[in-house]
Amino acid sequence: MKLRAFTILAALAGPGIAIATPAGTPPTNPPTNNAPNNPASPTPDKSPSKDTSAGDTSPDKTTGNDAKGAKLSDADIKIIAHLHHINQMEITLGKDAQRQGTAKVKDYANTMITDHQTADKDLTAFAKAHKLTTIPADKPTTDAERQDDKDMTQQMARLKTLKGADFDKTYLNMMVSGHDKELTKIDVEISSASDPDFKNLLQSVKPVLQRHADQARDLMKSPQASADEPTRPLPSMKQH
């Protein structure tokens, strides 16, 4: 009887062991799943995050642009409008110099046109990236600015009546005084700019303005633009 009871117990224990073994097998599978899960965890995690970041990549890029392209302050927009106006004016004056100046001034004018076209292209791209699709007109807001604007209009009109050495002298004087004025302004603009990228842009413009002013000064010392022909502008102006 005891032997029979033992047999029955053993028979009952048998399935229990069989059940325990499969139950033990799954634990092996979880570690196996967990082992891959550590490498795979990045993979699934990456695939969802890739899905999200892939989906986010475009937004991320957009967000990046949005971060860079945050709306500019009114003060920054005013500076952009002014710089755009200066670039356009220097390109126009450079084209006049190509037609009416002497050889040395024509070379200088080529540099002016190229540099200000590049500067304006960069400025326009920056403005668009910062949600300013159209650069507004540069409107003087103070009496001093209105006077500067009036003086420049008169000087440009007078310049159109000159040629050769007469043109050189007046044009180069305008380049020196105009660029010196802009260099003073740009220091103020750099310190007041609210956007860090805009500050960088302004800082990159400053050495170009300085180079233009220095080159104009050097040309004024050359024979063609020197004071050995100072009397010509007056008769020339009377003839006109």
Side-chain angles (χ1 to χ4, degrees):
M1 289 297 291
K2 279 178 188 178
L3 183 61
R4 190 174 172 184
F6 178 78
T7 312
I8 293 166
L9 284 171
L12 289 170
I17 293 165
I19 294 164
T21 317
T25 317
T28 350
N29 290 348
T32 317
N33 289 343
N34 284 343
N37 254 352
N38 291 340
S41 145
T43 318
D45 284 348
K46 274 181 186 177
S47 31
S49 33
K50 264 183 189 176
D51 289 347
T52 319
S53 63
D56 283 355
T57 308
S58 44
D60 272 352
K61 284 179 182 173
T62 316
T63 314
N65 286 342
D66 283 348
K68 285 184 185 178
K71 259 191 163 183
L72 294 163
S73 69
D74 289 344
D76 287 351
I77 292 171
K78 180 173 168 54
I79 296 170
I80 288 173
H82 176 69
L83 289 176
H84 177 62
H85 169 70
I86 292 298
N87 286 330
Q88 293 301 313
M89 186 181 66
E90 294 296 358
I91 292 164
T92 301
L93 288 171
K95 288 176 180 176
D96 289 342
Q98 283 178 328
R99 288 189 302 270
Q100 295 160 240
T102 62
K104 285 185 181 181
V105 165
K106 282 178 182 179
D107 287 342
Y108 173 75
N110 289 340
T111 303
M112 292 291 291
I113 291 168
T114 304
D115 287 352
H116 281 282
Q117 281 176 339
T118 303
D120 208 49
K121 188 178 174 184
D122 292 343
L123 186 71
T124 306
F126 175 85
K128 282 183 181 172
H130 286 70
K131 302 175 182 177
L132 185 66
T133 49
T134 305
I135 297 177
D138 179 34
K139 292 179 181 175
T141 53
T142 66
D143 288 342
E145 286 176 356
R146 278 187 280 273
Q147 188 58 50
D148 282 349
D149 194 50
K150 186 181 174 182
D151 292 346
M152 183 53 68
T153 305
Q154 288 173 349
Q155 286 176 40
M156 287 177 75
R158 178 176 181 266
L159 198 62
K160 287 187 182 297
T161 68
L162 304 176
K163 284 184 184 175
D166 297 341
F167 177 94
D168 289 359
K169 186 174 169 50
T170 306
Y171 173 68
L172 292 172
N173 269 318
M174 284 174 68
M175 292 301 99
V176 171
S177 62
H179 281 83
D180 282 350
K181 195 176 288 182
E182 290 308 314
L183 282 163
T184 306
K185 275 187 183 178
I186 207 163
D187 283 333
V188 178
E189 290 163 352
I190 289 167
S191 61
S192 69
S194 60
D195 184 279
D197 291 335
F198 191 36
K199 277 184 190 283
N200 292 337
L201 180 68
L202 293 173
Q203 280 163 348
S204 72
V205 167
K206 186 178 175 179
V208 180
L209 294 176
Q210 187 64 65
R211 180 163 49 83
H212 290 169
D214 293 343
Q215 285 173 340
R217 277 191 187 91
D218 290 342
L219 281 170
M220 286 175 74
K221 295 171 192 172
S222 73
Q224 282 178 314
S226 70
D228 62 322
E229 296 185 282
T231 51
R232 288 198 181 179
L234 295 173
S236 159
M237 285 302 295
K238 283 177 186 174
Q239 285 170 11
H240 290 290

PDB file of all heavy atoms in Angstrom, residues 187-211:
ATOM      1  N   ASP A 187      28.155  99.965 -34.992  1.00  0.00           N
ATOM      2  CA  ASP A 187      28.554  99.640 -33.613  1.00  0.00           C
ATOM      3  C   ASP A 187      27.353  99.730 -32.670  1.00  0.00           C
ATOM      4  O   ASP A 187      27.166  98.878 -31.801  1.00  0.00           O
ATOM      5  CB  ASP A 187      29.669 100.583 -33.138  1.00  0.00           C
ATOM      6  CG  ASP A 187      31.025 100.199 -33.717  1.00  0.00           C
ATOM      7  OD1 ASP A 187      31.224  99.000 -34.023  1.00  0.00           O
ATOM      8  OD2 ASP A 187      31.876 101.089 -33.888  1.00  0.00           O
ATOM      9  N   VAL A 188      26.546 100.770 -32.876  1.00  0.00           N
ATOM     10  CA  VAL A 188      25.332 100.938 -32.067  1.00  0.00           C
ATOM     11  C   VAL A 188      24.342  99.813 -32.383  1.00  0.00           C
ATOM     12  O   VAL A 188      23.714  99.239 -31.489  1.00  0.00           O
ATOM     13  CB  VAL A 188      24.673 102.314 -32.350  1.00  0.00           C
ATOM     14  CG1 VAL A 188      23.383 102.483 -31.563  1.00  0.00           C
ATOM     15  CG2 VAL A 188      25.643 103.436 -32.037  1.00  0.00           C
ATOM     16  N   GLU A 189      24.216  99.489 -33.684  1.00  0.00           N
ATOM     17  CA  GLU A 189      23.266  98.457 -34.110  1.00  0.00           C
ATOM     18  C   GLU A 189      23.651  97.073 -33.565  1.00  0.00           C
ATOM     19  O   GLU A 189      22.785  96.300 -33.164  1.00  0.00           O
ATOM     20  CB  GLU A 189      23.197  98.432 -35.641  1.00  0.00           C
ATOM     21  CG  GLU A 189      22.527  99.663 -36.223  1.00  0.00           C
ATOM     22  CD  GLU A 189      22.795  99.857 -37.713  1.00  0.00           C
ATOM     23  OE1 GLU A 189      23.617  99.122 -38.288  1.00  0.00           O
ATOM     24  OE2 GLU A 189      22.168 100.758 -38.302  1.00  0.00           O
ATOM     25  N   ILE A 190      24.956  96.781 -33.546  1.00  0.00           N
ATOM     26  CA  ILE A 190      25.417  95.482 -33.013  1.00  0.00           C
ATOM     27  C   ILE A 190      25.040  95.361 -31.542  1.00  0.00           C
ATOM     28  O   ILE A 190      24.546  94.326 -31.098  1.00  0.00           O
ATOM     29  CB  ILE A 190      26.948  95.319 -33.197  1.00  0.00           C
ATOM     30  CG1 ILE A 190      27.284  95.101 -34.682  1.00  0.00           C
ATOM     31  CG2 ILE A 190      27.486  94.147 -32.381  1.00  0.00           C
ATOM     32  CD1 ILE A 190      28.768  95.231 -35.031  1.00  0.00           C
ATOM     33  N   SER A 191      25.253  96.420 -30.785  1.00  0.00           N
ATOM     34  CA  SER A 191      24.957  96.359 -29.344  1.00  0.00           C
ATOM     35  C   SER A 191      23.451  96.324 -29.075  1.00  0.00           C
ATOM     36  O   SER A 191      23.008  95.764 -28.068  1.00  0.00           O
ATOM     37  CB  SER A 191      25.590  97.543 -28.615  1.00  0.00           C
ATOM     38  OG  SER A 191      25.071  98.747 -29.110  1.00  0.00           O
ATOM     39  N   SER A 192      22.659  96.895 -29.987  1.00  0.00           N
ATOM     40  CA  SER A 192      21.208  96.939 -29.738  1.00  0.00           C
ATOM     41  C   SER A 192      20.445  95.774 -30.373  1.00  0.00           C
ATOM     42  O   SER A 192      19.290  95.547 -30.040  1.00  0.00           O
ATOM     43  CB  SER A 192      20.626  98.254 -30.260  1.00  0.00           C
ATOM     44  OG  SER A 192      20.673  98.282 -31.675  1.00  0.00           O
ATOM     45  N   ALA A 193      21.090  95.006 -31.274  1.00  0.00           N
ATOM     46  CA  ALA A 193      20.386  93.895 -31.952  1.00  0.00           C
ATOM     47  C   ALA A 193      19.938  92.855 -30.930  1.00  0.00           C
ATOM     48  O   ALA A 193      20.710  92.458 -30.054  1.00  0.00           O
ATOM     49  CB  ALA A 193      21.302  93.258 -32.994  1.00  0.00           C
ATOM     50  N   SER A 194      18.689  92.415 -31.036  1.00  0.00           N
ATOM     51  CA  SER A 194      18.141  91.470 -30.053  1.00  0.00           C
ATOM     52  C   SER A 194      18.387  90.017 -30.458  1.00  0.00           C
ATOM     53  O   SER A 194      18.409  89.129 -29.628  1.00  0.00           O
ATOM     54  CB  SER A 194      16.639  91.713 -29.875  1.00  0.00           C
ATOM     55  OG  SER A 194      15.971  91.539 -31.113  1.00  0.00           O
ATOM     56  N   ASP A 195      18.590  89.768 -31.744  1.00  0.00           N
ATOM     57  CA  ASP A 195      18.771  88.390 -32.234  1.00  0.00           C
ATOM     58  C   ASP A 195      20.278  88.090 -32.337  1.00  0.00           C
ATOM     59  O   ASP A 195      21.014  88.840 -32.991  1.00  0.00           O
ATOM     60  CB  ASP A 195      18.101  88.251 -33.607  1.00  0.00           C
ATOM     61  CG  ASP A 195      18.166  86.837 -34.131  1.00  0.00           C
ATOM     62  OD1 ASP A 195      19.217  86.444 -34.678  1.00  0.00           O
ATOM     63  OD2 ASP A 195      17.174  86.111 -33.991  1.00  0.00           O
ATOM     64  N   PRO A 196      20.757  86.983 -31.719  1.00  0.00           N
ATOM     65  CA  PRO A 196      22.192  86.661 -31.742  1.00  0.00           C
ATOM     66  C   PRO A 196      22.729  86.463 -33.159  1.00  0.00           C
ATOM     67  O   PRO A 196      23.841  86.893 -33.476  1.00  0.00           O
ATOM     68  CB  PRO A 196      22.300  85.355 -30.947  1.00  0.00           C
ATOM     69  CG  PRO A 196      21.004  85.186 -30.243  1.00  0.00           C
ATOM     70  CD  PRO A 196      19.988  86.005 -30.947  1.00  0.00           C
ATOM     71  N   ASP A 197      21.933  85.807 -34.019  1.00  0.00           N
ATOM     72  CA  ASP A 197      22.364  85.604 -35.408  1.00  0.00           C
ATOM     73  C   ASP A 197      22.504  86.940 -36.143  1.00  0.00           C
ATOM     74  O   ASP A 197      23.371  87.099 -36.990  1.00  0.00           O
ATOM     75  CB  ASP A 197      21.353  84.720 -36.167  1.00  0.00           C
ATOM     76  CG  ASP A 197      21.372  83.292 -35.656  1.00  0.00           C
ATOM     77  OD1 ASP A 197      22.420  82.888 -35.118  1.00  0.00           O
ATOM     78  OD2 ASP A 197      20.358  82.593 -35.782  1.00  0.00           O
ATOM     79  N   PHE A 198      21.624  87.844 -35.805  1.00  0.00           N
ATOM     80  CA  PHE A 198      21.674  89.162 -36.441  1.00  0.00           C
ATOM     81  C   PHE A 198      22.931  89.915 -36.004  1.00  0.00           C
ATOM     82  O   PHE A 198      23.576  90.592 -36.797  1.00  0.00           O
ATOM     83  CB  PHE A 198      20.408  89.953 -36.101  1.00  0.00           C
ATOM     84  CG  PHE A 198      20.236  91.206 -36.920  1.00  0.00           C
ATOM     85  CD1 PHE A 198      20.622  91.245 -38.252  1.00  0.00           C
ATOM     86  CD2 PHE A 198      19.693  92.359 -36.370  1.00  0.00           C
ATOM     87  CE1 PHE A 198      20.474  92.402 -39.025  1.00  0.00           C
ATOM     88  CE2 PHE A 198      19.535  93.511 -37.123  1.00  0.00           C
ATOM     89  CZ  PHE A 198      19.932  93.529 -38.448  1.00  0.00           C
ATOM     90  N   LYS A 199      23.290  89.779 -34.728  1.00  0.00           N
ATOM     91  CA  LYS A 199      24.529  90.388 -34.234  1.00  0.00           C
ATOM     92  C   LYS A 199      25.720  89.875 -35.040  1.00  0.00           C
ATOM     93  O   LYS A 199      26.585  90.634 -35.450  1.00  0.00           O
ATOM     94  CB  LYS A 199      24.735  90.035 -32.755  1.00  0.00           C
ATOM     95  CG  LYS A 199      23.991  90.923 -31.775  1.00  0.00           C
ATOM     96  CD  LYS A 199      24.362  90.542 -30.346  1.00  0.00           C
ATOM     97  CE  LYS A 199      23.480  91.220 -29.326  1.00  0.00           C
ATOM     98  NZ  LYS A 199      23.814  92.626 -29.109  1.00  0.00           N
ATOM     99  N   ASN A 200      25.741  88.539 -35.265  1.00  0.00           N
ATOM    100  CA  ASN A 200      26.843  87.939 -36.042  1.00  0.00           C
ATOM    101  C   ASN A 200      26.889  88.497 -37.459  1.00  0.00           C
ATOM    102  O   ASN A 200      27.957  88.771 -37.999  1.00  0.00           O
ATOM    103  CB  ASN A 200      26.681  86.412 -36.101  1.00  0.00           C
ATOM    104  CG  ASN A 200      26.885  85.766 -34.747  1.00  0.00           C
ATOM    105  OD1 ASN A 200      27.537  86.348 -33.875  1.00  0.00           O
ATOM    106  ND2 ASN A 200      26.328  84.591 -34.547  1.00  0.00           N
ATOM    107  N   LEU A 201      25.703  88.646 -38.050  1.00  0.00           N
ATOM    108  CA  LEU A 201      25.625  89.179 -39.407  1.00  0.00           C
ATOM    109  C   LEU A 201      26.186  90.613 -39.466  1.00  0.00           C
ATOM    110  O   LEU A 201      26.982  90.943 -40.349  1.00  0.00           O
ATOM    111  CB  LEU A 201      24.179  89.163 -39.903  1.00  0.00           C
ATOM    112  CG  LEU A 201      23.933  89.690 -41.323  1.00  0.00           C
ATOM    113  CD1 LEU A 201      24.552  88.753 -42.363  1.00  0.00           C
ATOM    114  CD2 LEU A 201      22.455  89.856 -41.608  1.00  0.00           C
ATOM    115  N   LEU A 202      25.790  91.424 -38.501  1.00  0.00           N
ATOM    116  CA  LEU A 202      26.269  92.805 -38.450  1.00  0.00           C
ATOM    117  C   LEU A 202      27.779  92.864 -38.225  1.00  0.00           C
ATOM    118  O   LEU A 202      28.479  93.695 -38.817  1.00  0.00           O
ATOM    119  CB  LEU A 202      25.548  93.575 -37.337  1.00  0.00           C
ATOM    120  CG  LEU A 202      24.044  93.820 -37.540  1.00  0.00           C
ATOM    121  CD1 LEU A 202      23.423  94.438 -36.291  1.00  0.00           C
ATOM    122  CD2 LEU A 202      23.780  94.715 -38.742  1.00  0.00           C
ATOM    123  N   GLN A 203      28.279  91.964 -37.380  1.00  0.00           N
ATOM    124  CA  GLN A 203      29.723  91.931 -37.123  1.00  0.00           C
ATOM    125  C   GLN A 203      30.503  91.552 -38.373  1.00  0.00           C
ATOM    126  O   GLN A 203      31.618  92.020 -38.587  1.00  0.00           O
ATOM    127  CB  GLN A 203      30.031  90.968 -35.976  1.00  0.00           C
ATOM    128  CG  GLN A 203      29.761  91.605 -34.617  1.00  0.00           C
ATOM    129  CD  GLN A 203      29.641  90.586 -33.483  1.00  0.00           C
ATOM    130  OE1 GLN A 203      29.542  89.385 -33.717  1.00  0.00           O
ATOM    131  NE2 GLN A 203      29.649  91.076 -32.253  1.00  0.00           N
ATOM    132  N   SER A 204      29.895  90.699 -39.215  1.00  0.00           N
ATOM    133  CA  SER A 204      30.576  90.309 -40.458  1.00  0.00           C
ATOM    134  C   SER A 204      30.559  91.431 -41.495  1.00  0.00           C
ATOM    135  O   SER A 204      31.409  91.494 -42.377  1.00  0.00           O
ATOM    136  CB  SER A 204      29.936  89.043 -41.044  1.00  0.00           C
ATOM    137  OG  SER A 204      28.666  89.335 -41.594  1.00  0.00           O
ATOM    138  N   VAL A 205      29.588  92.343 -41.390  1.00  0.00           N
ATOM    139  CA  VAL A 205      29.478  93.471 -42.330  1.00  0.00           C
ATOM    140  C   VAL A 205      30.505  94.564 -42.005  1.00  0.00           C
ATOM    141  O   VAL A 205      31.037  95.218 -42.898  1.00  0.00           O
ATOM    142  CB  VAL A 205      28.035  94.054 -42.286  1.00  0.00           C
ATOM    143  CG1 VAL A 205      27.964  95.396 -42.992  1.00  0.00           C
ATOM    144  CG2 VAL A 205      27.048  93.077 -42.913  1.00  0.00           C
ATOM    145  N   LYS A 206      30.812  94.716 -40.723  1.00  0.00           N
ATOM    146  CA  LYS A 206      31.662  95.834 -40.275  1.00  0.00           C
ATOM    147  C   LYS A 206      33.029  95.881 -40.976  1.00  0.00           C
ATOM    148  O   LYS A 206      33.416  96.936 -41.488  1.00  0.00           O
ATOM    149  CB  LYS A 206      31.825  95.777 -38.756  1.00  0.00           C
ATOM    150  CG  LYS A 206      32.563  96.985 -38.209  1.00  0.00           C
ATOM    151  CD  LYS A 206      32.679  96.953 -36.707  1.00  0.00           C
ATOM    152  CE  LYS A 206      33.534  98.120 -36.234  1.00  0.00           C
ATOM    153  NZ  LYS A 206      33.666  98.145 -34.766  1.00  0.00           N
ATOM    154  N   PRO A 207      33.793  94.764 -41.037  1.00  0.00           N
ATOM    155  CA  PRO A 207      35.102  94.849 -41.702  1.00  0.00           C
ATOM    156  C   PRO A 207      35.016  95.202 -43.186  1.00  0.00           C
ATOM    157  O   PRO A 207      35.919  95.827 -43.740  1.00  0.00           O
ATOM    158  CB  PRO A 207      35.711  93.451 -41.507  1.00  0.00           C
ATOM    159  CG  PRO A 207      34.615  92.574 -41.020  1.00  0.00           C
ATOM    160  CD  PRO A 207      33.575  93.449 -40.438  1.00  0.00           C
ATOM    161  N   VAL A 208      33.913  94.822 -43.829  1.00  0.00           N
ATOM    162  CA  VAL A 208      33.730  95.140 -45.250  1.00  0.00           C
ATOM    163  C   VAL A 208      33.560  96.657 -45.414  1.00  0.00           C
ATOM    164  O   VAL A 208      34.162  97.277 -46.292  1.00  0.00           O
ATOM    165  CB  VAL A 208      32.515  94.391 -45.845  1.00  0.00           C
ATOM    166  CG1 VAL A 208      32.320  94.725 -47.315  1.00  0.00           C
ATOM    167  CG2 VAL A 208      32.675  92.884 -45.672  1.00  0.00           C
ATOM    168  N   LEU A 209      32.745  97.248 -44.545  1.00  0.00           N
ATOM    169  CA  LEU A 209      32.554  98.713 -44.583  1.00  0.00           C
ATOM    170  C   LEU A 209      33.880  99.432 -44.319  1.00  0.00           C
ATOM    171  O   LEU A 209      34.189 100.427 -44.978  1.00  0.00           O
ATOM    172  CB  LEU A 209      31.517  99.135 -43.535  1.00  0.00           C
ATOM    173  CG  LEU A 209      30.073  98.663 -43.741  1.00  0.00           C
ATOM    174  CD1 LEU A 209      29.203  99.085 -42.567  1.00  0.00           C
ATOM    175  CD2 LEU A 209      29.492  99.194 -45.047  1.00  0.00           C
ATOM    176  N   GLN A 210      34.643  98.901 -43.369  1.00  0.00           N
ATOM    177  CA  GLN A 210      35.933  99.516 -43.046  1.00  0.00           C
ATOM    178  C   GLN A 210      36.887  99.454 -44.240  1.00  0.00           C
ATOM    179  O   GLN A 210      37.567 100.420 -44.566  1.00  0.00           O
ATOM    180  CB  GLN A 210      36.563  98.795 -41.837  1.00  0.00           C
ATOM    181  CG  GLN A 210      37.835  99.455 -41.316  1.00  0.00           C
ATOM    182  CD  GLN A 210      37.583 100.850 -40.767  1.00  0.00           C
ATOM    183  OE1 GLN A 210      36.879 101.016 -39.768  1.00  0.00           O
ATOM    184  NE2 GLN A 210      38.153 101.866 -41.403  1.00  0.00           N
ATOM    185  N   ARG A 211      36.890  98.311 -44.913  1.00  0.00           N
ATOM    186  CA  ARG A 211      37.764  98.140 -46.083  1.00  0.00           C
ATOM    187  C   ARG A 211      37.368  99.113 -47.195  1.00  0.00           C
ATOM    188  O   ARG A 211      38.223  99.711 -47.846  1.00  0.00           O
ATOM    189  CB  ARG A 211      37.694  96.691 -46.568  1.00  0.00           C
ATOM    190  CG  ARG A 211      38.550  96.386 -47.780  1.00  0.00           C
ATOM    191  CD  ARG A 211      38.756  94.886 -47.942  1.00  0.00           C
ATOM    192  NE  ARG A 211      37.515  94.148 -47.855  1.00  0.00           N
ATOM    193  CZ  ARG A 211      36.672  93.971 -48.861  1.00  0.00           C
ATOM    194  NH1 ARG A 211      36.913  94.531 -50.044  1.00  0.00           N
ATOM    195  NH2 ARG A 211      35.576  93.244 -48.714  1.00  0.00           N
TER     196      ARG A 211
END
